[in-house]
Amino acid sequence: MEAIRLEQVCKSFGDVRAVDHVCATIPAGSLYGFLGPNGAGKTTTIRMIMNILQPDSGTLRILGDDSVEQAKARIGYMPEERGLYRKMTVAKVLRYFGAIKGVAEQDLARRVPAWLERLDLAAWANKKTEELSKGMQQKLQFAVTVINEPQLLILDEPFSGLDPLNVDLLREIILEMRQQGKTVLFSTHAMHDAEKLCDSVLLINRGRIILDESLAALRSRRRSHTVCAELEGDTSFIERLPMVTAVTAEANRMEIRLADTADPQELLRAMVDRVRVQDFEIKVPSLHEIFVDLVRSSNAEDPSSRPA
Amino acid sequence: MRKILQVALREYVETVKTKTFIIGLLMVPVIIGGIILFAGRFSSDQGGPRPPMRVPVTDLSSAAWPQIQAAFDQHNRSHPGKKVLVEALEAQPNPDAVQAEAKTRLRERQIDGYIVLDKDVVTGSGKVWLYSYKPRPADLDGLWTVEGILQRIVVDERCKARGITPEVLAEIRSVSVERVDVGSTGEAQRVEGRDVIGAKMMVPFFFMYLMFMGVAGMGQHLLSSIIEEKNSRVIEVLLSALSPFELMAGKILGLGAIGLTVISLWAAGAFAAARGQGLEMEVTAGLGICFVTYYILGFLLFSSILAAIGSLCNTIKEAQGLMMPVMMVSIVPMLAWFKLVQDPNGTLARGLSFVPPMTSMVMILRLASSPDIRIGEILFTIALLAATVLGAIWVAAKVFRTGILMYGKRPGLREVLRWLGQS
């Protein structure tokens, strides 16, 4: 079962191709990070999924429906542009959005206080939303998104504007939802958020998908060629090893870059024969590095596709 | 449909709570009441007191002066705030010099007016000359008083010269006219005072005014509500739960319901006030049904146009610019109401009834002022209006759908027309 399927979706604004033949499938139950630099087409794609924008061409299927209109009650969408009714109280806003998403009255009576409690907003239930701090408004916005207990959550930059405590709270809730079998798609350009949270990433640049892979597969495929080691003894031989291309040393700690074909295990074997190894770490490439790397190479391949 | 009702309910509750709404609800009757009260006072004593006017009189006929003096004395006693001081200016020995001098004094504003009665003003067809110098608006009322008194005196004198006594004259002058409405049965006939006739003219206007306030006033709320949602970016959250049409329909429904509430309150208040003043107003159930029907259709037409306008704009100011033409059209019946009331079945009235944006206002005015509007005409205008409403909603839904998510530069007419072609 797939939660979202995009086929050859295109959207232009004037001369600018915001989304260019995008194909993607988000399987049900997955936690997908939607990454990309600013202006890559993330929000445009999400808006097309929500039928807020209409694609120029291509097809979309959401939760098995051709149009999101039938599925809206099963989706929680948090737009990039947050918006609440400023003059309404916190509880009323939540209740109203629940009602228009088709949640029954008796369910709302239970869910509204429960979510306000969960998000630490219970004390503010009868305050107008304009009296809330930015972070609290953001949490309320999240509550609005999940009040209908959606099967599919689409979050556009959910962590922006939150303090670390609230980021953790939100992350915990998102992980909980995944455990309940719900599908989550969230966009971000904070790589460490994506790294800690998602199973798979969808990377978009200049309107095109340049990567769609599980995080585990991505890491193992893009093996690192850098090793960090702490050694005791004479380490000068390391530079002379054929598999080593560069060494930077700092006290006893050194960073060793290997040739593309080399195996770090070979290096370790060579080391234990000669010196005492205190610490040996194969550096896992961070999502940040992968991101920068991929976006750079995609820009280099295709410099003319869009005005930068 | 449940979603539309939810939107409507929120719109109703939240709008009714706003200060602007409550102030508007109370201000309109207060202002109207104030105007009526003020106008009433104004017409009963012709404005406030003014400084006495100095008006010398040169009576060349030498026949009317004593009466003039007596008449003005009496006037000054009964209107102490509006005195007119007359004095005789003897024409002897040189009438031309006297008149020339008086005119000079008039120009220097030493006096406020100057009266000359021709030599044969009583015996023949001589004239009364009333000179003034660049009269200020405040003087006009005084000059009218002077003119009226002089005319009466000259008539009296002419009658006396022809042998008619003042008593006979008074008898001749008194003609009493009784206006009687025969009513539907013989017993129901009643004598109508001038107030009732005045009220009869005002009732249709009042109905039209209610219609105007209900339609245009609620339209304003709709516009600001849409623009607020656009500015607070709540729109995208709403659209993740609702279709644009559901949102627009809910808003229109909610505000239409507020409009009906407000109109009922105002109408009930006006009815009670009229009763309190002893005015009997006949409002039939048929008129009530017509009012509600025309109101609903008129409001739908107006508000769908405004919803489209609101969706295209980012600020109230921008929207007001676009609203101008719409408002202009709905003001036409307000300007023409007197003509329409006088001739509710005339060409103008019938013509304007077939212009959809004006239909509801003009028709309610006609229905309230004349009971014999043909039923066919009523049904036809309702059908025409309903058809226009459907068209307007279709267009508005398309414009709204795209416009509501556009920020920044307002799209041009050509682009908006292109949206209409989209599925």
Side-chain angles (χ1 to χ4, degrees):
Chain A
M1 226 310 253
E2 74 232 8
I4 302 173
R5 178 198 283 276
L6 305 176
E7 268 169 30
Q8 303 291 337
V9 174
C10 295
K11 178 79 187 175
S12 299
F13 296 109
D15 300 333
V16 181
R17 258 268 146 103
V19 172
D20 193 0
H21 294 93
V22 162
C23 298
T25 304
I26 314 285
S30 60
L31 212 174
Y32 245 80
F34 193 20
L35 314 179
N38 292 329
K42 298 190 295 285
T43 296
T44 305
T45 307
I46 287 179
R47 283 185 171 169
M48 283 192 287
I49 293 172
M50 287 311 295
N51 197 27
I52 284 166
L53 290 176
Q54 285 184 319
D56 297 336
S57 62
T59 55
L60 297 106
R61 281 182 75 79
I62 316 296
L63 293 176
D65 279 312
D66 285 332
S67 156
V68 79
E69 297 301 329
Q70 288 108 48
K72 269 182 179 172
R74 289 174 284 152
I75 299 177
Y77 168 53
M78 178 149 135
E80 186 187 21
E81 305 268 17
R82 319 282 192 238
L84 297 164
Y85 286 107
R86 287 174 307 172
K87 301 282 177 198
M88 281 172 86
T89 64
V90 169
K92 276 193 183 150
V93 162
L94 198 47
R95 191 172 268 277
Y96 172 64
F97 280 106
I100 59 172
K101 286 174 174 190
V103 181
E105 195 58 39
Q106 63 269 30
D107 290 336
L108 277 178
R110 182 172 47 79
R111 282 186 211 171
V112 168
W115 273 109
L116 290 181
E117 192 65 42
R118 178 82 205 262
L119 291 165
D120 253 346
L121 290 170
W124 299 82
N126 295 317
K127 292 263 191 285
K128 287 183 180 170
T129 64
E130 62 186 352
E131 295 171 46
L132 300 186
S133 74
K134 209 133 194 197
M136 287 194 272
Q137 288 187 8
Q138 178 95 331
K139 286 198 284 181
L140 177 58
Q141 194 88 56
F142 184 78
V144 162
T145 310
V146 295
I147 192 70
N148 55 331
E149 300 194 342
Q151 290 172 26
L152 170 62
L153 265 174
I154 298 176
L155 310 170
D156 204 350
E157 298 285 352
F159 303 111
S160 72
L162 287 180
D163 64 36
L165 278 173
N166 284 321
V167 168
D168 283 347
L169 176 64
L170 215 62
R171 190 183 287 144
E172 195 183 296
I173 296 172
I174 292 175
L175 285 172
E176 217 170 80
M177 298 204 148
R178 205 256 320 255
Q179 272 163 14
Q180 291 163 9
K182 292 172 176 169
T183 315
V184 184
L185 173 69
F186 73 97
S187 83
T188 182
H189 39 240
M191 290 306 137
H192 55 276
D193 289 334
E195 201 158 21
K196 285 191 200 160
L197 206 53
C198 50
D199 324 320
S200 305
V201 291
L202 195 61
L203 180 55
I204 187 169
N205 187 38
R206 297 182 173 184
R208 292 188 184 165
I209 300 287
I210 54 175
L211 181 77
D212 180 0
E213 208 168 17
S214 83
L215 211 54
L218 181 67
R219 284 204 174 118
S220 69
R221 190 164 59 79
R222 294 183 61 87
R223 242 183 4 183
S224 173
H225 303 287
T226 308
V227 167
C228 266
E230 242 180 84
L231 308 173
E232 263 173 37
D234 179 14
T235 59
S236 57
F237 73 96
I238 291 174
E239 273 177 86
R240 295 193 297 275
L241 290 170
M243 65 182 101
V244 173
T245 57
V247 175
T248 45
E250 204 179 299
N252 347 340
R253 195 169 174 81
M254 51 204 325
E255 208 174 286
I256 305 157
R257 271 195 81 80
L258 301 177
D260 284 352
T261 50
D263 183 353
Q265 303 303 321
E266 293 290 328
L267 176 67
L268 181 60
R269 202 164 295 138
M271 280 176 175
V272 284
D273 290 345
R274 302 214 175 155
V275 289
R276 215 178 147 69
V277 179
Q278 300 279 19
D279 188 15
F280 185 88
E281 180 193 3
I282 303 169
K283 281 191 82 175
V284 176
S286 71
L287 196 54
H288 183 94
E289 285 163 340
I290 298 173
F291 177 90
V292 171
D293 204 29
L294 278 171
V295 169
R296 281 216 181 110
S297 59
S298 125
N299 288 354
E301 267 169 38
D302 186 15
S304 62
S305 72
R306 273 205 332 180
Chain B
M1 194 60 207
R2 199 180 96 112
K3 289 182 178 184
I4 294 177
L5 289 178
Q6 291 283 359
V7 175
L9 186 68
R10 192 207 77 91
E11 204 66 38
Y12 191 101
V13 173
E14 293 301 314
T15 306
V16 168
K17 278 200 295 195
T18 59
K19 282 197 196 80
T20 352
F21 173 79
I22 294 170
I23 292 171
L25 178 68
L26 297 176
M27 279 310 272
V28 169
V30 167
I31 289 173
I32 293 178
I35 289 172
I36 291 172
L37 217 77
F38 186 74
R41 286 181 66 91
F42 191 80
S43 59
S44 68
D45 63 7
Q46 317 259 320
R50 54 165 171 73
M53 284 179 82
R54 292 145 302 168
V55 186
V57 180
T58 299
D59 180 11
L60 296 173
S61 72
S62 315
W65 170 245
Q67 283 77 12
I68 292 174
Q69 200 173 21
F72 278 100
D73 280 349
Q74 200 195 348
H75 169 83
N76 292 347
R77 273 197 300 278
S78 56
H79 299 85
K82 298 170 176 292
K83 283 189 176 164
V84 179
L85 306 175
V86 288
E87 53 171 312
L89 204 61
E90 287 301 327
Q92 300 305 329
N94 181 350
D96 292 342
V98 170
Q99 290 186 33
E101 196 211 322
K103 284 174 195 168
T104 312
R105 281 172 65 199
L106 192 55
R107 285 189 196 101
E108 289 163 359
R109 294 209 184 277
Q110 290 174 18
I111 53 176
D112 304 293
Y114 176 49
I115 298 162
V116 177
L117 284 83
D118 279 350
K119 201 172 169 55
D120 57 348
V121 73
V122 175
T123 51
S125 58
K127 288 177 182 167
V128 176
W129 302 83
L130 178 51
Y131 296 103
S132 60
Y133 174 67
K134 294 185 182 166
R136 288 157 295 195
D139 296 337
L140 291 174
D141 159 55
L143 292 173
W144 284 329
T145 311
V146 171
E147 194 182 319
I149 292 175
L150 286 173
Q151 205 161 27
R152 185 162 51 82
I153 290 166
V154 172
V155 170
D156 284 358
E157 289 310 303
R158 284 181 181 177
C159 288
K160 266 191 249 166
R162 284 164 180 74
I164 301 166
T165 62
E167 291 75 31
V168 174
L169 191 62
E171 251 172 65
I172 292 170
R173 275 221 168 110
S174 116
V175 180
S176 92
V177 177
E178 290 283 337
R179 297 183 62 147
V180 180
D181 187 308
V182 293
S184 28
T185 61
E187 296 79 49
Q189 73 172 9
R190 59 176 189 265
V191 177
E192 295 193 334
R194 289 186 60 160
D195 295 355
V196 177
I197 293 159
K200 280 213 162 152
M201 292 291 278
M202 288 311 289
V203 167
F205 180 76
F206 174 73
F207 272 102
M208 183 180 67
Y209 189 75
L210 271 188
M211 185 72 84
F212 175 77
M213 289 307 292
V215 170
M218 285 305 119
Q220 289 281 357
H221 280 287
L222 178 74
L223 205 63
S224 56
S225 152
I226 289 172
I227 288 174
E228 201 216 305
E229 277 175 11
K230 214 175 156 173
N231 280 338
S232 66
R233 311 277 157 146
V234 77
I235 207 86
E236 213 174 323
V237 188
L238 287 171
L239 292 185
S240 73
L242 303 163
S243 69
F245 182 78
E246 284 170 331
L247 178 63
M248 189 179 95
K251 281 189 165 308
I252 291 177
L253 197 66
L255 286 167
I258 297 179
L260 277 179
T261 314
V262 170
I263 288 173
S264 316
L265 287 175
W266 283 345
F271 197 73
R275 267 285 168 83
Q277 295 285 313
L279 291 178
E280 290 284 336
M281 282 198 286
E282 273 178 42
V283 179
T284 59
L287 187 63
I289 292 168
C290 284
F291 188 93
V292 172
T293 312
Y294 280 117
Y295 171 75
I296 290 173
L297 290 172
F299 180 78
L300 284 176
L301 177 62
F302 204 75
S303 57
S304 49
I305 295 172
L306 289 187
I309 289 178
S311 74
L312 294 176
C313 300
N314 297 306
T315 60
I316 286 278
K317 219 173 159 185
E318 237 179 293
Q320 269 161 353
L322 281 178
M323 250 181 81
M324 268 298 274
V326 186
M327 289 305 271
M328 292 298 239
V329 172
S330 58
I331 277 174
V332 169
M334 300 281 277
L335 298 177
W337 80 272
F338 201 74
K339 259 190 125 55
L340 299 176
V341 168
Q342 281 178 326
D343 192 3
N345 274 318
T347 323
L348 181 68
R350 301 179 89 148
L352 290 184
S353 304
F354 298 129
V355 182
M358 299 186 208
T359 301
S360 32
M361 285 173 68
V362 176
M363 280 307 285
I364 205 66
L365 185 74
R366 292 175 61 194
L367 286 166
S369 49
S370 155
D372 45 308
I373 307 283
R374 264 173 298 175
I375 188 88
E377 204 172 331
I378 298 173
L379 294 177
F380 180 73
T381 54
I382 288 179
L384 182 70
L385 190 55
T388 317
V389 164
L390 289 178
I393 290 178
W394 182 81
V395 170
K398 296 221 158 192
V399 174
F400 189 85
R401 185 196 193 299
T402 316
I404 197 74
L405 284 161
M406 292 194 90
Y407 296 105
K409 198 182 164 294
R410 206 171 71 209
L413 183 64
R414 187 173 303 178
E415 196 179 349
V416 172
L417 288 176
R418 199 169 54 78
W419 299 345
L420 297 185
Q422 289 172 355
S423 58

